[in-house]
Amino acid sequence: MWNTHSLFASLAVAAFGILSLTSLEAFAAPIQSSNITKRAPTWSFPYGSTKVRGVNLGGWLVLEPWITPSLFDGTGNPAIVDEYTFGQYQDYNTAHAKLVNHWNTWITYNDLAAIKAAGLNHVRLPIGYWAWDISRGEPYHQGQLPYLNQAIGWCRTLGLKMIIDVHGAPGSQNGFDNSGQRINYPLWHTNSDNIARTNQIIKTLASAYSSQTDVVVGVAPLNEPAGFRGNDVLAVTRQYWYDSYGNLRYPYGTGQQGPLIEFISDAFQPPSYWTNFMHWSNGFEGVIMDTHYYGVFSQAEVSRSWDQQVQAACAKSSDITSFTLWTIVGEWSTAFTDCAKYLNGRGIGARYDGTYPGSSFVGSCAQWTGSGANFSAQYKTFLRRFWEAQATSFERGQGWIYWTWKAENADEWSYSAGLNYGWIPQNPTQRNYPNICG
């Protein structure tokens, strides 16, 4: 039942004989190569010659308890653990007023101006399906779209590129609170209605933004589908990437290509799983792989020494360069613990200090999270090394987008705090440790 849209994308591109510009191989030849047809659109950012260096606008149009714990603590209700329950368990007017105030203040023009001033060239903006569709009675609030469009205008003024990231899908694609709904098992892939609704949103995005690619370079059709759940999720995800390709790359209802790029998630799978998937040699064009890297979501990772964290980050470059599509690291941070309050979910502890169910104590969280004003000089030096190791490693691919721009009380995750306290350079190409990855 997932094949109702079938392989429209591959059939369409096969008919027009289009060569991909999104694989490393395609750029191996000079741009004048006669192998590149004139049908290939011109991207609004020079992918392949300029690295992606960007930051996520996390916790703005999709709430995350660890990014803005005050919004959740302020409800006085421990059952409110995500944006779904934020609407479900509060009076509508009360919840809506809080959301509108948050939307108005969390990300402003000044934030984007600071992002531009920091030498970054992309922002990735997470938004949930509910901004377009709550037709099945979901308790989400709407009103996000004017803020999305305002941010696009700000980016246009400043000269920033944007990736619109569908961070939550109907039924939840991963069960994480950042999908909008924290549940034990994701349901998006189990229901054809969920998938049809998500496909319709991608069509809506393509229609709205194919004419605005001076800013909106592309769309991530779905953030982090839970491929670790097995082939049931992966089979649906693979078909959804094909469907999204047709919807994004052919938005006009004809054989004419549009200019939007599709950013597909690796769904927590290794490069070998995706070998030649949607590859240029099969006629696909305008596809970039988005992989995420965090060294904090397992007991083994939080048990690493600082040097081991740096080594692991450097080693990640071999994965990134093994994908057969161009690849960016669309989320990463300088955190080396999972100590940030609510990072694992509201009311759930940390592996690092042994308060997460089934974890074992590594150390106290006290000195590793919170305000950077309280971080030791030694800790800040490590954060700089860790930032440089990751940025260097990820630029062996097509670049990176850091998670996230700001957080209320977790500066180890905050790009703006890193700039302020000095562990992130004002110029992202500057290195104190130029040989950190060899």
Side-chain angles (χ1 to χ4, degrees):
M1 63 181 166
W2 314 125
N3 293 317
T4 53
H5 296 82
S6 192
L7 295 185
F8 167 79
S10 56
L11 293 173
V13 292
F16 291 96
I18 300 161
L19 181 70
S20 171
L21 293 184
T22 61
S23 70
L24 293 169
E25 295 92 321
F27 264 100
I31 198 69
Q32 306 96 302
S33 169
S34 61
N35 292 330
I36 297 179
T37 77
K38 292 182 180 179
R39 292 183 180 276
T42 301
W43 314 120
S44 68
F45 181 81
Y47 298 102
S49 61
T50 302
K51 298 300 181 186
V52 172
R53 300 183 179 106
V55 69
N56 284 272
L57 305 180
W60 184 27
L61 302 185
V62 176
L63 297 186
E64 298 198 30
W66 75 267
I67 296 179
T68 54
S70 69
L71 275 175
F72 289 82
D73 291 343
T75 67
N77 184 347
I80 295 176
V81 298
D82 52 29
E83 192 159 340
Y84 188 98
T85 50
F86 193 88
Q88 183 177 23
Y89 295 139
Q90 292 187 92
D91 168 75
Y92 179 88
N93 291 331
T94 299
H96 199 71
K98 293 175 183 176
L99 285 168
V100 169
N101 180 66
H102 172 70
W103 294 335
N104 280 326
T105 58
W106 186 247
I107 297 293
T108 67
Y109 177 86
N110 288 339
D111 287 293
L112 288 170
I115 289 167
K116 177 66 174 180
L120 303 180
N121 51 40
H122 280 65
V123 294
R124 180 172 177 261
L125 202 167
I127 190 167
Y129 78 93
W130 54 92
W132 292 272
D133 179 2
I134 50 172
S135 61
R136 306 301 185 267
E138 296 98 330
Y140 292 113
H141 290 237
Q142 293 187 308
Q144 298 88 347
L145 296 182
Y147 296 94
L148 168 62
N149 290 320
Q150 183 179 56
I152 291 169
W154 291 339
C155 287
R156 180 171 290 115
T157 298
L158 292 162
L160 287 166
K161 305 303 182 184
M162 179 187 289
I163 299 165
I164 298 174
D165 157 41
V166 180
H167 218 67
S172 177
Q173 72 278 15
N174 52 34
F176 303 159
D177 58 11
N178 57 58
S179 73
Q181 191 173 14
R182 185 177 118 189
I183 51 179
N184 290 329
Y185 186 79
L187 298 175
W188 169 75
H189 68 286
T190 68
N191 183 299
S192 59
D193 182 60
N194 290 340
I195 296 158
R197 293 172 71 194
T198 319
N199 278 322
Q200 185 56 52
I201 288 165
I202 301 307
K203 292 180 182 178
T204 300
L205 284 166
S207 176
Y209 298 112
S210 288
S211 62
Q212 297 192 54
T213 52
D214 60 317
V215 175
V216 181
V217 290
V219 173
L222 193 57
N223 179 67
E224 295 185 348
F228 52 83
R229 294 287 188 175
N231 194 57
D232 287 354
V233 175
L234 287 168
V236 174
T237 298
R238 290 170 71 97
Q239 183 60 48
Y240 178 69
W241 294 156
Y242 287 128
D243 294 344
S244 296
Y245 185 91
N247 292 331
L248 286 170
R249 300 287 301 120
Y250 290 84
Y252 310 118
T254 69
Q256 180 186 353
Q257 290 184 92
L260 288 170
I261 293 170
E262 180 184 14
F263 291 82
I264 65 172
S265 167
D266 67 3
F268 304 96
Q269 300 304 296
S272 58
Y273 179 82
W274 298 106
T275 298
N276 292 329
F277 181 77
M278 296 182 78
H279 193 250
W280 67 271
S281 61
N282 295 319
F284 290 92
E285 175 183 64
V287 185
I288 291 179
M289 181 63 73
D290 176 10
T291 189
H292 297 170
Y293 180 74
Y294 295 119
V296 301
F297 290 113
S298 71
Q299 187 69 42
E301 288 170 317
V302 298
S303 300
R304 290 172 180 161
S305 69
W306 286 351
D307 284 346
Q308 287 171 334
Q309 288 284 11
V310 166
Q311 291 160 8
C314 290
K316 183 66 179 175
S317 66
S318 64
D319 267 1
I320 295 164
T321 56
S322 295
F323 283 104
T324 51
L325 292 171
W326 276 8
T327 301
I328 63 166
V329 179
E331 293 186 20
W332 61 285
S333 90
T334 51
F336 82 99
T337 76
D338 62 340
C339 287
K341 181 181 179 181
Y342 301 157
L343 181 66
N344 295 305
R346 188 180 183 203
I348 299 174
R351 295 169 186 84
Y352 191 80
D353 67 2
T355 57
Y356 183 91
S359 65
S360 55
F361 179 86
V362 178
S364 168
C365 278
Q367 59 189 323
W368 308 128
T369 191
S371 170
N374 300 322
F375 293 174
S376 69
Q378 183 185 29
Y379 184 23
K380 291 177 185 176
T381 297
F382 162 71
L383 291 171
R384 176 58 175 254
R385 290 178 61 229
F386 198 27
W387 185 91
E388 289 197 19
Q390 292 181 90
T392 299
S393 177
F394 304 158
E395 288 187 17
R396 291 176 178 169
Q398 295 306 310
W400 48 264
I401 305 175
Y402 186 93
W403 187 278
T404 185
W405 174 241
K406 58 191 291 195
E408 282 181 344
N409 195 35
D411 281 356
E412 71 275 22
W413 286 83
S414 167
Y415 203 98
S416 56
L419 291 169
N420 184 41
Y421 292 109
W423 64 79
I424 295 178
Q426 298 294 326
N427 177 344
T429 66
Q430 195 271 328
R431 296 287 183 269
N432 288 346
Y433 307 96
N435 301 314
I436 194 163
C437 287

